[in-house]
């Protein structure tokens, strides 16, 4: 498999999960502003939407979108928590959790847009507060799903990590902070951070 990623972007979750599962893969860095790969290719020829992650699962066969990419990685692994049987409630709970992560992603990630008007920023911050309150309520067992660490935790941790550069104080959400810190202390996450040049 080949993972197309941008350092610290939401593709970091797929990178963490590839390391967690031990599945063989190679990494291709993408410049999202220029839509070019590190070796100069037009990234929109790989993913027409120009976003990361993209996962080439076989030559010319590319998956995009976190819900699909992270589910696919889990389904290839030996870890039953990462790949509940399709058509079971556990499988749909994982998809539900990944979808919830994308809700949080869209609210926090929107603040990276340049030149946001103050009124829009205030509305986004109010939405982020609502989403973080929902995250905190979801973490009764310390992970998003009661089954333990899954792809959803990796994705949520990456999204929560953006609050640092965005200067969003999340200290009022101790379970969310603990989730982020616990995920990034995992060897697979530390390896991914090093491979992306983030530590």
């Amino acid at each position: 498999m080949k993972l197309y990623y941008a350092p610290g972007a939401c593709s970091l979750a797929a990178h963490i999960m590839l390391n967690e599962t031990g599945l063989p893969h190679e990494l291709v860095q993408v410049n999202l502003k220029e839509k070019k790969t590190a070796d100069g290719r037009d990234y929109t020829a790989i993913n027409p939407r120009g976003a990361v992650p993209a996962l080439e699962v076989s030559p010319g066969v590319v998956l995009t979108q976190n819900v699909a990419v992270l589910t696919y990685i889990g389904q290839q692994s030996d870890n039953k928590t990462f790949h509940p049987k399709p058509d079971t409630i556990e499988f749909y709970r994982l998809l539900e959790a990944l979808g919830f992560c994308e809700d949080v992603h869209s609210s926090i990630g929107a603040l990276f847009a340049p030149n946001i008007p103050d009124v829009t920023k205030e509305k986004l911050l109010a939405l982020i507060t609502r989403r973080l309150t929902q995250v905190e309520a979801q973490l009764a067992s310390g992970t998003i799903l009661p089954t333990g660490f899954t792809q959803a935790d990796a994705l949520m941790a990456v999204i929560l990590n953006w609050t640092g550069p965005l200067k969003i104080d999340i200290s009022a959400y101790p379970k969310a902070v603990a989730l982020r810190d616990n995920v990034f202390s995992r060897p697979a996450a530390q390896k991914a951070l090093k491979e992306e040049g983030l530590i």
Side-chain angles (χ1 to χ4, degrees), residues 100 103-104 106-108 122-138 173:
F100 173 55
D103 290 341
V104 181
S106 63
S107 60
I108 295 177
E122 283 176 25
K123 287 180 181 176
L124 282 172
L125 288 170
L127 176 58
I128 289 166
T129 297
R130 184 162 67 90
R131 291 298 186 208
L132 289 172
T133 302
Q134 293 168 346
V135 171
E136 193 74 2
Q138 186 80 28
Y173 310 97

Side-chain angles (χ1 to χ4, degrees), residues 32-45:
L32 290 175
K33 285 184 182 174
E34 297 179 4
K35 308 299 183 196
K36 296 276 186 191
T37 62
D39 57 5
R41 287 177 293 154
D42 175 8
Y43 182 58
T44 60

Side-chain angles (χ1 to χ4, degrees), residues 79-197:
N79 185 320
K80 290 193 165 115
T81 308
F82 300 160
H83 73 105
K85 284 185 184 177
D87 271 343
T88 62
I89 193 65
E90 291 79 14
F91 179 78
Y92 294 111
R93 289 294 182 209
L94 178 58
L95 294 182
E96 181 181 54
L98 290 168
F100 173 55
C101 290
E102 289 302 308
D103 290 341
V104 181
H105 178 183
S106 63
S107 60
I108 295 177
L111 283 179
F112 283 114
N115 305 316
I116 301 174
D118 287 344
V119 65
T120 304
K121 190 171 184 180
E122 283 176 25
K123 287 180 181 176
L124 282 172
L125 288 170
L127 176 58
I128 289 166
T129 297
R130 184 162 67 90
R131 291 298 186 208
L132 289 172
T133 302
Q134 293 168 346
V135 171
E136 193 74 2
Q138 186 80 28
L139 295 173
S141 63
T143 53
I144 294 176
L145 294 172
T147 49
F149 173 80
T150 66
Q151 300 95 303
D153 299 298
L155 181 54
M156 187 65 78
V158 169
I159 295 162
L160 292 171
N161 205 43
W162 298 340
T163 60
L166 290 169
K167 295 182 172 38
I168 299 170
D169 181 7
I170 61 170
S171 60
Y173 310 97
K175 291 176 187 171
V177 171
L179 172 75
R180 180 197 62 193
D181 294 349
N182 290 340
V183 168
F184 280 108
S185 70
R186 297 174 75 91
Q190 288 291 301
K191 184 171 187 274
L193 290 169
K194 285 177 186 167
E195 288 170 336
E196 294 195 12

